[in-house]
Amino acid sequence: MSKREKAVQVTIDEQQLPDGQTMSVLKIGSETIGTVTPDDDRFSAQLNDGDVYRVKTVDEGVELLLRDYHLHRG
């Protein structure tokens, strides 16, 4: 038998940084799984365990964070 799929609520909270840029905080339920911040002409996706990845777009950073969450914790 296969597992039943569960609906998971994912939210992206936008926070203003002191330098005027916007940081996206990705949450599943009340648990923060990572952030995506602007970094020069690209973006940095940071996991809660401290790993940082350089990505081209915010969407790519969100996908990376979700993929890591489902691989290791989901």
Side-chain angles (χ1 to χ4, degrees):
M1 260 198 212
S2 63
K3 281 187 175 180
R4 216 172 176 192
E5 289 187 28
K6 292 189 283 182
V8 178
Q9 174 123 11
V10 178
T11 57
I12 300 174
D13 295 331
E14 302 289 329
Q15 296 180 355
Q16 207 60 22
L17 296 174
D19 61 359
Q21 295 180 334
T22 304
M23 175 176 66
S24 300
V25 180
L26 193 66
K27 295 182 179 185
I28 293 184
S30 62
E31 178 185 2
T32 301
I33 63 169
T35 60
V36 180
T37 55
D39 188 19
D40 296 327
D41 60 337
R42 292 183 179 236
F43 295 88
S44 293
Q46 182 170 3
L47 302 169
N48 278 348
D49 62 4
D51 292 342
V52 178
Y53 299 93
R54 299 255 314 179
V55 294
K56 292 182 182 179
T57 64
V58 173
D59 291 338
E60 186 180 347
V62 169
E63 287 178 19
L64 184 135
L65 294 173
L66 286 173
R67 195 173 338 130
D68 180 80
Y69 177 83
H70 287 296
L71 180 65
H72 297 290
R73 292 174 252 162

